[in-house]
Amino acid sequence: MRLAPLLALPPIALGIAAAVWMITSAPGPAQVEGAAPALPVRVMTVAAEDIRPTVTAWGNLRAAETWIAVAEVQGEVIWRHPDLEPGRLIPAGTEVLRIDPADYELALAQAEADLAAFAAESAQLTAEVANTTRILELERERLVLAEVDLARVRALTEQGTLPQSRADEAERATLLARRTVAELENSLALIPAREARIAAQIARSEAAIARAERSLENTTLTTPFDLRVTEVSAERFQTVAPGQVVIRADGIAAAEVVAHLAIDSFRSLLGDAPDSITLADMMHDGPAGWIEVTLSPLSDPAQVWPARVMRIEGALDARARTVPVVVMVDDPYEGADPPRRLPLVPNMQVGLTFQGAPLTGVIAIPEAALHGGQLRVVGTDDLLELRPVVMAFAQGGRVVIAEGLSPGDRVVIDDIAPAIPGMALTPVEAPE
C-alpha cells in the first residue's frame, strides 16, 4: 500500500523533462521589419525678399508751440478782445488784451521833460565854455600888458623917477590879472566833469524813456502766432500784477507726439542705410523712402495724417527703457469738419506707423514657426531638424531671421508635439 506513490514518480519526471526540452528547442517569434509612418506637415520654402521695417506706436498729441502770456506791467485791464475765450481760434498779430497805460504815459512824459532839461543844460554849458574861452584870451592879453607895465614901473622906480607907491599899484594890477586868468583856467578845467555829469543824466533820462516806452508796449498783449485759446485768467476792470499769467494758448500750425519705441525696433528703422548717414540725416535731409511716418486718431483710424520725425528727446524712458521719438504733423486743423473729421487737438490719442529704410535680400518667416529661438526644418531625406536661428526683428506677424536660414530651406509651420529630431515627415508646401 505504501509503494503506490513511489511508483507514480517516474512518469511525472519524464513529462517535466519532455516539456523543458520542447520549450528550449522551439524557434523564437518571427520578427517583421517596418518603420513608423511619416507625419504630414505644412512647410514653406524660404526665399530672400525686400522688406521695409515697420514699427507701430501710440501717444498723446500736444501742441508744437504754446503761448503763456504773462503780465509785465501792473494796471487795470481796460479792454479785452471779444474772441478771447477758451476754445476760440485767433490769428497772429491780434491785440487781445489792453492794460491802462496812463501811469506809463506820465512816466514817459516826465522822462522826456528831464531829457529836454538836461539837453538845455548841455547847450548852456557849451555856450559857457565858448564865452569863458574868449574872456580868458582877453585876460591873458591884459596880463601881458600888466606885466610889461610892471617891468617899466620897476625900472623907473629904481631910477628914482617914480615913487614906490606907483610900483606897488602896478604890482597889484598884475597880481589881479594873474588871478583872473587862473580863475578862468580853473573854470575851463571843471567843464569836462560837468559835461560828464550832464551826459550821465541824459543817458539816465534816455533809459527812463526807453523803460517807459517798453512799459507802454507791454500794456497791450498781441498774439505771436495763430493759436487756440486754452485759458484766460484776466477779466475787464481787474488789476493784474507783473508776473501774473493771464492767457494760455496752443499754436495751431503744428502738433507733435512723443512715440516710445523699443530700442531694437528703433534700430531696425535704419535698414540698409549707408554707415555714413546718421539718423538726423534720415529724419530731415534723407531721400524719400527712408523714414516715413503716418498718424491716425485712435477714435477714427480712417483719418490718416502725414507726419515726420523731428528729434529724439534727451533720455530714455526710465521705466520702459524705450526711445522717445518726437513726431510732428503740420496743419493739424486742415480739413477739419467736426464731427465728421476732427482736428488734431492736444491730448488726443493717436497711433503712429513708422516705415524705415528698406532691407534687401532678407528672409522672413511666420512668427508662429519660431519656437524659443529654434526652427523646425525639413532636412535631408525629409527628416525633422531643430535648427537654432538669430532673429533680427518681428513685425506684422512675421520674423526677420538674421542668421541660421538660407534661401531654399523648408520651414515647418505646423505645430508638432512632440518634435523629435530625425522623425520622418511628409512635407506639404503651404500656399502663400
Side-chain angles (χ1 to χ4, degrees), residues 106-123:
L106 292 174
L108 177 60
Q110 180 179 351
E112 289 176 342
D114 292 341
L115 179 61
F118 292 132
E121 187 176 349
S122 177

Side-chain angles (χ1 to χ4, degrees), residues 18-291:
V20 171
W21 176 81
M22 292 176 66
I23 292 173
T24 56
S25 61
Q31 297 182 356
V32 179
E33 294 184 359
L39 178 65
V41 292
R42 292 182 306 155
V43 299
M44 64 169 290
T45 303
V46 299
E49 56 182 307
D50 295 341
I51 293 179
R52 191 167 187 184
T54 302
V55 179
T56 58
W58 68 274
N60 292 333
L61 278 173
R62 66 189 184 192
E65 290 182 301
T66 58
W67 183 46
I68 301 177
V70 178
E72 298 188 45
V73 296
Q74 182 171 350
E76 179 184 349
V77 177
I78 60 175
W79 181 81
R80 171 175 161 170
H81 196 283
D83 288 338
L84 188 60
E85 298 292 344
R88 293 290 184 88
L89 299 177
I90 300 179
T94 302
E95 182 180 344
V96 292
L97 203 69
R98 190 180 304 157
I99 300 172
D100 188 2
D103 291 341
Y104 307 102
E105 290 173 345
L106 292 174
L108 177 60
Q110 180 179 351
E112 289 176 342
D114 292 341
L115 179 61
F118 292 132
E121 187 176 349
S122 177
Q124 179 182 355
L125 182 61
T126 301
E128 184 177 339
V129 170
N131 293 336
T132 303
T133 302
R134 288 194 298 269
I135 293 174
L136 178 61
E137 292 175 356
L138 295 175
E139 291 297 329
R140 283 174 177 171
E141 291 176 359
R142 190 177 71 167
L143 175 60
V144 171
L145 293 176
E147 289 177 345
V148 172
D149 184 60
L150 176 61
R152 185 176 62 255
V153 170
R154 283 177 177 174
L156 294 176
T157 301
E158 291 176 356
Q159 295 174 2
T161 305
L162 293 175
Q164 183 62 38
S165 60
R166 180 69 181 82
D168 294 340
E169 291 178 0
E171 186 75 25
R172 282 194 296 271
T174 302
L175 292 176
L176 181 61
R178 287 175 181 172
R179 177 183 175 181
T180 301
V181 170
E183 289 177 349
L184 292 174
E185 289 176 345
N186 290 338
S187 297
L188 288 177
L190 295 175
I191 292 298
R194 295 174 61 189
E195 289 177 339
R197 179 178 59 82
I198 294 175
Q201 290 173 332
I202 290 175
R204 182 177 180 180
S205 297
E206 290 174 345
I209 290 174
R211 183 168 54 253
E213 290 176 344
R214 187 171 183 273
S215 297
L216 274 176
E217 292 178 357
N218 291 331
T219 58
T220 59
L221 293 179
T222 304
T223 55
F225 44 76
D226 296 342
L227 51 80
R228 185 174 190 176
V229 180
T230 59
E231 180 185 343
V232 181
S233 57
E235 300 292 338
R236 192 178 177 189
F237 306 121
Q238 175 186 350
T239 300
V240 296
Q244 178 181 340
V245 176
V246 293
I247 303 172
R248 296 180 187 269
D250 295 329
I252 62 174
E256 64 183 23
V257 58
V258 179
H260 294 271
L261 304 182
I263 295 177
D264 291 340
S265 299
F266 180 68
R267 188 180 295 116
S268 70
L269 294 176
L270 298 178
D272 289 338
D275 294 339
S276 59
I277 301 298
T278 64
L279 182 62
D281 297 331
M282 299 178 69
M283 291 178 190
H284 301 95
D285 304 324
W290 266 358
I291 294 184

Side-chain angles (χ1 to χ4, degrees), residues 321-347:
R321 310 304 296 172
T322 53
V323 181
V325 181
V326 179
V327 176
M328 178 177 290
V329 56
D330 294 323
D331 203 358
Y333 284 78
E334 181 182 7
D337 185 21
R340 297 179 182 86
R341 180 178 173 87
L342 297 176
L344 299 180
V345 296
N347 297 323

